Amino acid sequence: MNSSRGWEPEVAELERRAELARAMGGDEKVARHHAAGRLTVRERIDVLVDPGSFREVGGLAGRAHYEDGQLASFTPSNFVMGRARIDGRPVVIAGDDFTVRGGAADGGVRGKQTYAERMAHDLAIPIVRLIDGSGGGGSVKSLETMGRTYVPIDPSWPIVVDNLAAVPVVALVLGSVAGQGAARAVTSHYSVMVKGTSQLFVAGPPVVARTGERVDAETLGGSAIHTRNGVIDDEAESEADAMARARRFLSYLPSSVFEVPTRAATDDDPERRDDWLIEAIPRDRRTVYKSRPIIETLVDRDSFFELGARFGRAAVTGLARLDGWPVAVLAGDPYHYGGGWTADASQKVMRFVDLADTFHLPVVHLVDQPGFVVGTKAEQQATIRHGARAIAAIVQATVPWCSVLLRRVFGVAGAAHHPASRYGIRFAWPSGDWGSLPLEGGIEAAYKSELEASDDPDARRAEIAARLDAVRSPLRTAEAFLVEDVIDPRETRPRLCEFAALATARLQPGAKTRGTRP
């Protein structure tokens, strides 16, 4: 072949430019990034995805300077994106490069961000955002460079929101993230911060200082704050841990709403019965117990993946498998407000049910619900407003639902243990205890005049409690078919595995009328 007629010079130039892009912000900035205990965006991608699977898109985008028609210098875009595979499934990777302009949009990322989001949406595959920077307009210094200012508008945001109703969206906060970057983090189905190296805020310490408040980045927006106030779902010990959590989260979900979750191989017997469940719920109704061991023994071994453990702690939420089938698990935690729903717990439940409904995950609800938390603080936090939104999410959900009534089911929140307008499997343990109000406290309200007229109110209260206690047995409720079944607790896992198989058979792929609410 006559090389003078080939394209070898252009290919050589292409390779040179690709090498310049891979250099990111240069050796000095990369070294500074490593010194802060953080991986570069390209190293992060290598840790996250299947080896050798990353196919970059737009790697040649950046700012070039020419002299005499020849490329003199090149600064790559600070947004690295492309397609890859995680556990063999295609995904979109969208990562900020902090070594170039601190990940801000004036490093030339905006068009690529929109493209990455659109790619995930239109190919119907998950997107993982590796967020490390503001992702917004950058510093005011860029205004001098442009010679003008502008009206803020973000063309990527409509598709960012649309993706919540279409594909799994994971956001890993891997550095100091502000402004648009912070908004991208929370507009996701699952988000993670790294303890000690990640911070998130609407605006960073220099801007906050202008309001008269002087704080450092960790105090303003560290993971200890945002994993406990509901902004971020989970806290990782390292970047590698964050990547592992992202991979595990995705393993439970379909690639898009146009598929249903797939079954995983398991060697855990669906007929397994654990004897200790017979005494899992204390006979003394005032005694608390740990709900997570109950969850972990009912689902496939080592399959429970908790979400948002530090926020809304009266509710426990997570993904799991039953005989290999993915399910969403909701439970109460009696160690926090007795399991009663606070404003925070209600927000957590709403978002979790939205997630399950969006991605066709059958719900298993292990119910021990004394009702909404009451008192001055609860009223100040608008508990009933947030609680009503959680109830609306449950009522609007269309996925199959199975409720196991472990102990208490009381009040408005208790009534929301199950979508009452449609069929669902429901059964109770012998420890079940339910009604409009618990006897404790309810007697004082219902028999107030009788107690006040008594010469011995304590004795009369005990007498009334004994009368009512005789009719509170769940077997009496079952006699009237107000609960469908009361079962031996040791029979629960086989029942749940049957539910998972029946539920999965009737799942229908497709988009819902609305997606997950951020």
Side-chain angles (χ1 to χ4, degrees):
M1 176 183 293
N2 186 344
S3 61
S4 64
R5 299 182 61 186
W7 294 93
E8 286 86 353
E10 286 79 7
V11 170
E13 178 64 9
L14 170 64
E15 293 173 349
R16 182 171 81 96
R17 291 181 180 229
E19 186 63 29
L20 291 172
R22 287 191 290 268
M24 296 171 286
D27 292 343
E28 181 181 344
K29 290 184 177 179
V30 168
R32 194 183 309 160
H33 197 69
H34 284 159
R38 291 148 62 187
L39 300 175
T40 66
V41 63
R42 294 182 181 278
E43 290 167 337
R44 289 165 176 164
I45 293 171
D46 288 343
V47 172
L48 174 64
V49 307
D50 295 351
S53 69
F54 181 58
R55 187 180 298 278
E56 188 170 359
V57 176
L60 299 183
R63 294 184 178 178
H65 174 65
Y66 290 87
E67 294 180 359
D68 299 326
Q70 300 297 315
L71 181 67
S73 63
F74 178 75
T75 302
S77 162
N78 59 6
F79 187 79
V80 178
M81 67 166 179
R83 295 179 296 276
R85 291 184 177 272
I86 291 179
D87 294 331
R89 294 197 306 171
V91 298
V92 170
I93 305 297
D96 298 330
D97 181 1
F98 191 82
T99 69
V100 179
R101 292 289 301 123
D106 59 2
V109 303
R110 181 162 291 172
K112 294 180 74 175
Q113 278 188 8
T114 305
Y115 187 96
E117 298 287 337
R118 177 61 65 187
M119 178 163 51
H121 184 277
D122 290 7
L123 293 178
I125 56 178
I127 182 168
V128 181
R129 303 180 188 134
L130 308 178
I131 305 175
D132 190 359
S134 70
S139 72
V140 295
K141 190 175 181 180
S142 63
L143 301 181
E144 190 172 20
T145 303
M146 292 187 296
R148 64 184 184 280
T149 187
Y150 56 89
V151 176
I153 189 169
D154 185 355
S156 73
W157 212 249
I159 192 63
V160 167
V161 174
D162 285 350
N163 275 341
L164 291 180
V167 297
V169 179
V170 175
L172 304 184
V173 180
L174 302 172
S176 289
V177 172
Q180 188 203 63
R184 288 167 57 213
V186 302
T187 309
S188 62
H189 297 110
Y190 179 62
S191 56
V192 184
M193 290 180 74
V194 179
K195 186 177 181 180
T197 61
S198 297
Q199 298 86 33
L200 180 146
F201 13 70
V202 175
V207 178
V208 171
R210 298 290 295 178
T211 71
E213 184 181 3
R214 297 190 178 277
V215 290
D216 61 24
E218 191 68 20
T219 303
L220 181 62
S223 61
I225 296 170
H226 289 310
T227 56
R228 289 157 179 82
N229 64 10
V231 167
I232 295 295
D233 295 309
D234 277 339
E235 181 181 69
E237 293 296 323
S238 65
E239 292 195 14
D241 182 29
M243 309 293 180
R245 289 170 186 263
R247 289 195 299 270
R248 189 172 181 193
F249 173 79
L250 290 172
S251 72
Y252 295 90
L253 302 184
S255 291
S256 76
V257 297
F258 303 106
E259 302 175 15
V260 296
T262 57
R263 190 179 190 182
T266 180
D267 58 2
D268 197 353
D269 184 1
E271 298 297 319
R272 173 169 53 80
R273 293 161 172 82
D274 291 320
D275 287 339
W276 72 269
L277 287 173
I278 198 68
E279 56 187 28
I281 306 299
R283 295 193 70 90
D284 183 350
R285 293 181 175 89
R286 296 171 296 179
T287 301
V288 297
Y289 62 91
K290 294 182 178 180
S291 57
R292 288 172 181 81
I294 295 176
I295 297 171
E296 290 164 355
T297 201
L298 293 178
V299 302
D300 294 353
R301 289 190 181 94
D302 301 321
S303 74
F304 181 56
F305 180 58
E306 187 169 357
L307 305 176
R310 297 169 177 82
F311 171 68
R313 297 178 70 183
V316 179
T317 56
L319 307 177
R321 293 185 177 88
L322 287 165
D323 197 23
W325 298 111
V327 294
V329 179
L330 170 62
D333 186 349
Y335 274 84
H336 297 277
Y337 300 98
W341 281 358
T342 60
D344 286 353
S346 298
Q347 294 176 52
K348 179 177 179 177
V349 169
M350 179 194 72
R351 189 162 170 263
F352 181 69
V353 172
D354 279 354
L355 172 70
D357 198 46
T358 298
F359 293 107
H360 320 300
L361 291 168
V363 175
V364 172
H365 188 185
L366 305 180
V367 185
D368 187 352
Q369 178 54 264
F372 290 123
V373 171
V374 300
T376 303
K377 184 177 180 181
E379 301 300 344
Q380 292 172 344
Q381 293 179 340
T383 299
I384 192 63
R385 166 67 67 184
H386 295 295
R389 297 188 76 207
I391 293 171
I394 292 170
V395 170
Q396 291 171 343
T398 61
V399 288
W401 196 288
C402 178
S403 297
V404 185
L405 311 185
L406 304 187
R407 191 157 67 173
R408 297 160 300 175
V409 191
F410 288 103
V412 177
H417 70 273
H418 199 79
S421 63
R422 59 189 176 89
Y423 174 78
I425 294 176
R426 183 177 67 168
F427 49 87
W429 286 7
S431 47
D433 181 27
W434 37 63
S436 59
L437 283 172
L439 293 189
E440 300 78 11
I443 291 175
E444 283 77 0
Y447 295 87
K448 180 180 179 181
S449 60
E450 185 175 336
L451 292 171
E452 289 176 347
S454 173
D455 295 333
D456 188 347
D458 290 339
R460 181 55 60 88
R461 184 184 297 105
E463 177 188 332
I464 295 169
R467 295 201 314 262
L468 295 175
D469 200 51
V471 300
R472 76 194 298 179
S473 166
L475 299 179
R476 296 260 189 131
T477 309
E479 288 172 1
F481 198 57
L482 296 176
V483 67
E484 293 80 4
D485 285 299
V486 180
I487 69 166
D488 182 332
R490 293 167 291 194
E491 295 291 322
T492 306
R493 173 172 164 79
R495 296 284 191 111
L496 291 180
C497 288
E498 179 196 25
F499 160 73
L502 291 170
T504 304
R506 58 178 284 241
L507 293 177
Q508 296 293 323
K512 306 291 182 178
T513 55
R514 46 142 190 85
T516 304
R517 289 163 270 216

